[in-house]
Amino acid sequence: MSLESEVDLPGGAVLPGALPDALRAELIAFRRDMHMHPELGNQEFRTTAAIKERLERAGLKPRVLAVGTGLVCDIGVEGEQWGGGPSMLALRADIDGLPIPDTKADCPYRSTVPDRAHACGHDVHTTVVLGAGLVLAELHRRGALPRPVRLIFQPAEEVLPGGAADVIKCGALEGVGAIIAVHCDPRVDAGKIGLREGPITSACDRLEIGLDGPGGHTARPHLTTDLVTAAARVVTDVPALVGRRFDSRSGLAITWGRVESGHAPNVIPQHAELSGTVRCLDLEAWRQAPDVVVAAIDEIANLHRAKSEINYVRGVPPVVNEPGVTELLREAMIARRGVESVEGTEQSLGGEDFSWYLEHVPGAMARLGVRTPGERLIRDLHQGDFDVDESAITVGVELFTAAALVNGLR
């Protein structure tokens, strides 16, 4: 593999530069193949096999996780044991797709699997880490990799509370001093990344509620529990009530995604179901949220004489970027593509299980620009027509390889 250009770093060190055309083309083809064959969380067997085969072909020794999907691969570490010392940098990707249809028209690489799509960019994240691994493996063979690096291909990011827990349980953070990741951002131009110190995503939990009553005739709601009205009041009153029990700066928001009840216009039903999400910008408020939200639901349900059954599913805390690792990403991107390639970004209300790694080691996530410069249409995440400017793959690979090299010079 030929690594074409070089960039001078302070102190006279040299940072290998742009990817060769052949590897760039191979990575785009890999991403498109993965895009055509999306697999849901903990079912990513084809994806895992494809990553494993390519890493082995590069002379590496990837290890599939005990859950059967996802894998971990060290570069610059001898033997089969976890190792590499406290300065090892981990590069993390998520490999699962979403249970939604791919609605792109006239796209040669649209999903071939009904009601499955890579509509969150995990195919890009995976390809970026794979590409960085191939480049870093070549640098290691040349004796130009200053410190070991670990590649983490994580399953089930979209499944609460996230597949990161399985990676951590298998010991994949042993010997890791820091961890980095990217997430596709359709609001940022390809060629750039968005960075932020501190919280960059939000906490995300799931709510599942059942409401029950005796049912009855719509002519006599006063003789029974008007369950539809009770459900409607939970939908409207619970978010308002919870909003007055937290500091408004915590950004706690309850949003409903499903409300179901009844089958006939003149029958008051006996059962109603509601489900939605609880999102929160603040870590301390997130820790208090279950007790406060459940109490508010019970309060409103009792007011309308409905019996409530609540399943509060704990999700993920916010991703909080550690300043030192955020600066590493900034330095690496500037060394590679100049100061104009880095822009600030806001904290989003999206959830990401990358946060669980940060409970154990410092780390940071960058927003990887995937919008074609000048394009006005924004194909948002989790929509069936989502797609990316594939030049972002090269940008991500170069960011990660640069981060590994700059980290080794610290």
Side-chain angles (χ1 to χ4, degrees):
M1 182 189 298
S2 172
L3 303 177
E4 292 169 348
S5 63
E6 294 180 343
V7 178
D8 290 330
L9 293 174
V14 172
L15 178 66
L19 303 183
D21 289 341
L23 179 57
R24 187 181 299 111
E26 179 190 352
L27 293 176
I28 289 174
F30 186 94
R31 179 257 168 174
R32 291 187 175 189
D33 180 74
M34 188 173 168
H35 197 86
M36 292 172 66
H37 301 91
E39 298 172 298
L40 299 184
N42 296 316
Q43 300 173 23
E44 314 95 331
F45 297 104
R46 184 186 188 276
T47 302
T48 298
I51 299 167
K52 183 174 183 288
E53 186 278 332
R54 186 60 185 94
L55 292 172
E56 289 177 338
R57 191 149 41 93
L60 298 172
K61 297 179 179 179
R63 288 164 281 183
V64 176
L65 299 179
V67 292
T69 64
L71 59 163
V72 175
C73 183
D74 288 345
I75 303 171
V77 177
E78 303 301 327
E80 297 294 329
Q81 300 300 314
W82 300 120
S87 297
M88 174 179 268
L89 181 67
L91 317 180
R92 175 267 197 174
D94 35 15
I95 66 175
D96 56 325
L98 284 164
I100 63 174
D102 188 333
T103 61
K104 293 190 293 296
D106 301 322
C107 178
Y109 53 85
R110 66 180 292 182
S111 173
T112 61
V113 184
D115 299 321
R116 303 285 185 267
H118 270 295
C120 201
H122 293 188
D123 53 338
V124 175
H125 307 164
T126 298
T127 305
V128 164
V129 173
L130 174 64
L134 297 176
V135 172
L136 293 171
E138 176 64 20
L139 292 176
H140 176 59
R141 281 190 286 272
R142 298 183 186 183
L145 182 63
R147 290 180 185 169
V149 173
R150 177 165 296 152
L151 313 178
I152 296 176
F153 297 92
Q154 177 208 304
E157 190 277 331
E158 298 287 355
V159 181
L160 290 181
D166 291 322
V167 177
I168 295 167
K169 285 178 183 177
C170 86
L173 292 182
E174 293 178 16
V176 170
I179 187 168
I180 57 176
V182 293
H183 198 294
C184 290
D185 193 334
R187 301 165 301 170
V188 178
D189 284 348
K192 296 184 177 183
I193 63 169
L195 284 178
R196 174 187 174 90
E197 289 186 9
I200 193 172
T201 71
S202 300
C204 179
D205 299 335
R206 187 171 73 242
L207 265 179
E208 298 169 346
I209 304 169
L211 298 178
D212 291 286
H217 199 294
T218 56
R220 293 175 287 278
H222 59 292
L223 298 180
T224 185
T225 295
D226 188 350
L227 206 62
V228 173
T229 296
R233 300 312 300 185
V234 168
V235 167
T236 57
D237 290 355
V238 167
L241 187 60
V242 170
R244 289 296 177 265
R245 294 177 177 177
F246 284 100
D247 188 324
S248 59
R249 291 171 295 183
S250 69
L252 191 143
I254 300 174
T255 305
W256 306 103
R258 185 176 70 94
V259 181
E260 294 185 11
S261 185
H263 300 284
N266 61 344
V267 177
I268 294 175
Q270 295 178 310
H271 183 70
E273 293 183 357
L274 306 85
S275 60
T277 59
V278 180
R279 298 180 186 273
C280 186
L281 299 174
D282 178 73
L283 184 59
E284 186 55 38
W286 175 71
R287 289 172 175 152
Q288 300 172 18
D291 291 340
V292 176
V293 171
V294 168
I297 295 168
D298 282 336
E299 188 173 328
I300 299 302
N302 290 336
L303 182 64
H304 293 274
R305 297 184 296 177
K307 181 182 178 182
S308 60
E309 182 175 342
I310 306 165
N311 182 24
Y312 192 109
V313 182
R314 209 59 160 136
V316 295
V319 171
V320 181
N321 282 350
E322 194 271 335
V325 184
T326 307
E327 185 59 28
L328 169 64
L329 289 171
R330 188 186 309 277
E331 291 177 15
M333 191 65 177
I334 291 174
R336 184 67 74 190
R337 295 194 165 235
V339 67
E340 70 284 350
S341 65
V342 180
E343 62 184 42
T345 190
E346 62 187 12
Q347 182 181 6
S348 86
L349 277 169
E352 236 288 353
D353 78 347
F354 183 69
S355 54
W356 291 123
Y357 298 105
L358 308 188
E359 298 282 305
H360 301 270
V361 296
M365 171 175 281
R367 299 244 167 85
L368 179 66
V370 297
R371 180 179 62 191
T372 300
E375 185 178 28
R376 292 187 177 181
L377 175 65
I378 296 179
R379 295 182 175 88
D380 203 3
L381 302 170
H382 288 214
Q383 292 186 357
D385 65 347
F386 177 74
D387 206 353
V388 304
D389 184 321
E390 291 176 316
S391 66
I393 295 171
T394 297
V395 177
V397 172
E398 293 183 350
L399 168 66
F400 276 177
T401 55
L405 295 170
V406 172
N407 182 61
L409 298 172
R410 285 183 164 186

